[in-house]
């Protein structure tokens, strides 16, 4: 059973990572340390989550204790939308590295294709509450990210929340220096993303699923929203394998060769989520889970709906 996906750079990315969005300061350091003790080696971070320095403390502590070496770890972070202007990219990456207390990242992703107005404000909005765009093109931002690879600050680059037309634009870019190694997208049985995943994998781009459990702790959840973890059909499959519904949802992605980054700050769940390498879903069970797709997206970034690079108007 594979525990890594090989990137087109030759590097190996562990298929199970710890997500850190909404992991509160005061909790995330302990979560990172518990995860390293459990066996996690892949950590998914981002500048916009505003908790990278605490994550860095947790990592450093475990390196100091001799539990892991830096080279055992696979650390991912993301360039936020307000840093899309070419001259700002390197500084943004260096800020993340300083917070994480690292001298390189294993993977750096463009968080969204949409550039926002530069400045202190992470979500600059106009008087109608819509995002204020920057006058940037993500192809130029990509060139600045390629320079980060060339100067050794990052080992690989990719993007998150891009549609296939936007990915194609990058792949067809004249003078492309570094191919995207990974794309991170929202993906779970209610949003199976088959077309996009098949497209990316056919182009040698590894895929990571965020919110693989349907993000039950998202701040804007409504009581009537569908809940994956309570889905009776998934519960039935889980009972058959003597596993939890979360473990089945994670296993589903791993069997598609998709990396998963479930977020948790609860030590017992961090351990539970990692125990997905000792069972296998049958073809029928995989087909059943695929049949739940309803193209239901939790992360729509609706304030950027009018942005020229808004990704979710395309079919996939």
């Amino acid at each position: 059973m594979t525990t890594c996906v090989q990137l087109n750079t030759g590097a190996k990315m562990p298929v199970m990572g710890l997500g850190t969005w909404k992991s509160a300061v005061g909790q995330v350091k302990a979560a990172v340390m518990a995860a390293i003790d459990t066996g996690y080696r892949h950590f998914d971070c981002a500048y916009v989550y505003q908790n990278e320095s605490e994550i860095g403390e947790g990592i450093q502590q475990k390196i100091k204790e001799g539990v892991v070496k830096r080279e055992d770890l696979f650390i991912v972070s993301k360039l936020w939308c307000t840093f899309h202007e070419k001259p700002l990219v390197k500084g943004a990456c260096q800020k993340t590295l300083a917070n994480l207390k690292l001298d390189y990242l294993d993977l750096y992703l463009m968080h969204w294709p949409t550039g926002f107005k530069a400045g202190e404000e992470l979500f600059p909005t106009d008087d109608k509450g819509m995002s204020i765009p920057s006058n940037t093109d993500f192809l130029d931002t990509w060139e600045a990210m390629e320079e980060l690879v060339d100067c050794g600050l990052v080992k690989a680059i990719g993007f998150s929340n891009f549609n296939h037309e936007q990915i194609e634009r990058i792949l067809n870019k004249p003078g492309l220096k570094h191919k995207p190694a990974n794309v991170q997208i929202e993906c779970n049985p209610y949003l199976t993303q088959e077309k996009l995943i098949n497209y990316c994998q056919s182009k040698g781009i590894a895929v990571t699923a965020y919110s693989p459990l349907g993000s039950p702790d998202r701040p804007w959840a409504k009581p009537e929203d569908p809940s994956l973890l309570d889905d009776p059909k998934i519960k039935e499959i889980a009972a058959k394998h003597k596993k939890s519904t979360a473990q089945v949802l994670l296993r589903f992605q791993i069997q598609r060769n998709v990396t998963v980054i479930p977020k948790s700050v609860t030590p017992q769940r961090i351990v539970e989520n990692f125990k997905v390498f000792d069972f296998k879903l049958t073809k029928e069970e995989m087909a059943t889970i695929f049949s739940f797709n309803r193209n239901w997206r939790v992360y729509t970034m609706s304030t950027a709906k009018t942005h020229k690079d808004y990704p979710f108007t395309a079919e996939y």
Side-chain angles (χ1 to χ4, degrees), residues 178-191:
H178 294 289
K179 265 188 78 169
N182 172 259
V183 62
Q184 186 178 124
I185 53 175
E186 182 183 351
C187 186
N188 59 59
Y190 292 159
L191 182 70

Side-chain angles (χ1 to χ4, degrees), residues 88-152:
L88 301 180
V89 171
K90 190 175 183 180
C93 179
Q94 286 168 322
K95 219 181 253 182
T96 275
L97 285 168
N99 285 339
L100 289 168
K101 298 161 225 1
L102 301 174
D103 46 20
Y104 70 90
L105 291 169
D106 295 277
L107 178 64
Y108 197 43
L109 305 175
M110 203 182 311
H111 207 146
W112 290 83
T114 50
F116 295 165
K117 186 182 105 146
E120 284 302 293
E121 198 51 53
L122 292 172
F123 293 90
T125 49
D126 61 20
D127 47 16
K128 293 194 184 71
M130 297 307 278
S131 305
I132 303 172
S134 56
N135 191 16
T136 51
D137 183 322
F138 60 74
L139 290 185
D140 296 327
T141 310
W142 187 257
E143 283 179 7
M145 289 178 72
E146 290 179 319
E147 286 168 26
L148 302 176
V149 180
D150 294 337
C151 72

